[in-house]
Amino acid sequence: MSIRLGYQMPYFSHAASPRELFPQVIAQAQAAEAAGFDAALVMDHFYQLPTMGTPDEPMLEAYTALGALATATSRIQLSTLVTGNTYRNPAMLAKTVTTLDMVSGGRAVLGIGAGWFELEHNSFGYEFGTFTDRFQRLDEALQIIAPMLHGQRPTVNGKWYHTVEAINEPRIRDDLPIMLGGSGEKKTFALAARYADHLNIICNAGELPQKIDALHQRCAEIGRDPKTLETSYLAFTIIDADGDRAHKLKQDMLDRQTALVGAPVPADRIFVGDPDDVAEQIQRRILDQGVDGVICNMIANGHEEGILELAGKALGPLVHK
């Protein structure tokens, strides 16, 4: 498993109507595949996030969407960024992602995190709990999920979850990868060191040296070689052949975010310009800091024809060496 270049699709409000929405998603996944991206990813949310829109804007159920994308693509890996652990029974989640792996011919990745969007929990009737609760639940869930993905039959009698020799068949492999996503240097990174094949780091780019140091510490604490844990960074990416247009799209995005929540995404998470500009920024601000790859969301113009091809040509050579 390797995700050195991923394409995240967290925004569906460009479609003119609901009927046109999913064909546009398919087109983006196919374009990402053709452009050499390693993975296509969707969010596991029920409402649009505050920094991108209002709760009533379009949002797809993640695993239904990924199952459909499995039949419309042939090579690209498929994942959430990331599954909210609080939304699903862990044994059922193991079954779900394993079925996605079957449907896609071995292209599923389990992206998972503790969950954080309180409005969704309250609206849909899921228990939110405390910060500590959510991470205890994630740890306990991974004690069930990881063995089930590896062909084992775990029995767990925990505080939050219970299984008795839980069977997960059929499977086509015993090494379906687990990706954790988040920024927590103590809890998230420790769980990644114990359970994950990949860690997607979500933070300001300037914090990456500190994050990589912390991850190495968590690996050292359990005797794991950090080279065996692949890393990536989630980047808001705006790329266009016309660099001036890219910067205008950035400003439009920031203005909208400011109107929605009073503060835009930090500039240190945005990578903007023509292909050469963005490639230089990705190299200097992410890869040179010791991160293996990048997952781009391109909410400003990723749906436009030719944009993913530009991104693939600019960024692929940086990460596929």
Side-chain angles (χ1 to χ4, degrees):
M1 172 251 187
S2 184
I3 300 177
R4 298 301 177 98
L5 183 59
Y7 178 57
Q8 185 204 28
M9 293 176 280
Y11 189 78
F12 307 113
S13 295
H14 291 303
S17 72
R19 289 189 180 275
E20 296 175 61
L21 191 160
F22 201 70
Q24 189 178 90
V25 174
I26 290 173
Q28 289 180 72
Q30 291 174 336
E33 182 171 76
F37 284 75
D38 300 311
L41 308 100
V42 297
M43 296 197 302
D44 185 34
H45 285 290
F46 311 133
Y47 292 163
Q48 183 53 272
L49 303 189
T51 54
M52 297 186 198
T54 56
D56 58 344
E57 289 188 38
M59 181 56 56
L60 299 174
E61 194 285 313
Y63 282 97
T64 307
L66 291 172
L69 290 178
T71 67
T73 57
S74 60
R75 178 195 62 80
I76 200 164
Q77 294 176 94
L78 300 167
S79 183
T80 59
L81 191 65
V82 290
T83 304
N85 177 63
T86 47
Y87 297 143
R88 293 172 183 82
N89 170 279
M92 186 66 216
L93 177 57
K95 187 69 172 176
T96 299
V97 74
T98 301
T99 299
L100 175 63
D101 204 48
M102 293 282 296
V103 170
S104 65
R107 293 185 284 132
V109 176
L110 172 61
I112 190 167
W116 62 270
F117 196 3
E118 187 172 5
L119 175 62
E120 289 180 333
H121 290 76
N122 293 339
S123 294
F124 276 61
Y126 290 100
E127 182 180 357
F128 188 60
T130 66
F131 178 82
T132 298
D133 288 342
R134 293 195 299 280
F135 274 93
Q136 288 178 348
R137 291 176 69 172
L138 178 58
D139 189 345
E140 206 170 280
L142 286 165
Q143 296 173 42
I144 295 169
I145 294 168
M148 289 182 70
L149 296 184
H150 300 155
Q152 301 166 29
R153 300 181 178 186
T155 294
V156 172
N157 185 23
K159 177 181 177 181
W160 301 99
Y161 305 114
H162 306 270
T163 59
V164 180
E165 297 185 1
I167 299 171
N168 187 26
E169 299 292 345
R171 292 169 297 100
I172 57 176
R173 54 176 172 161
D174 291 336
D175 58 352
L176 195 160
I178 296 173
M179 171 175 62
L180 261 69
S183 61
E185 298 175 13
K186 294 183 178 180
K187 295 181 182 295
T188 299
F189 288 13
L191 290 174
R194 288 168 56 196
Y195 295 108
D197 304 280
H198 186 112
L199 173 66
N200 179 251
I201 302 171
I202 302 171
C203 65
N204 291 336
E207 299 174 288
L208 283 172
Q210 171 187 328
K211 298 296 183 184
I212 294 298
D213 285 347
L215 179 61
H216 287 183
Q217 291 175 27
R218 301 294 86 76
C219 287
E221 287 165 2
I222 63 166
R224 178 173 182 175
D225 182 351
K227 293 179 181 179
T228 66
L229 178 55
E230 187 178 70
T231 55
S232 62
Y233 176 78
L234 178 61
F236 284 78
T237 307
I238 306 174
I239 190 169
D240 197 278
D242 182 344
D244 290 338
R245 179 174 186 261
H247 282 278
K248 183 181 184 304
L249 289 170
K250 171 191 173 183
Q251 191 58 52
D252 291 344
M253 180 185 77
L254 295 179
D255 289 345
R256 185 169 191 263
Q257 291 169 345
T258 300
L260 286 168
V261 296
V265 170
D268 201 24
R269 299 188 185 191
I270 302 173
F271 300 75
V272 59
D274 65 31
D276 289 341
D277 291 336
V278 173
E280 186 278 330
Q281 293 168 40
I282 295 290
Q283 181 67 55
R284 172 174 50 85
R285 295 166 57 193
I286 299 175
L287 304 178
D288 288 351
Q289 307 310 314
V291 181
D292 297 318
V294 60
I295 294 176
C296 301
N297 69 43
M298 304 174 69
I299 63 176
N301 65 340
H303 63 292
E304 295 178 4
E305 185 174 356
I307 295 299
L308 287 171
E309 182 180 4
L310 278 180
K313 288 181 178 178
L315 305 181
L318 304 181
V319 295
H320 296 144
K321 296 178 181 179

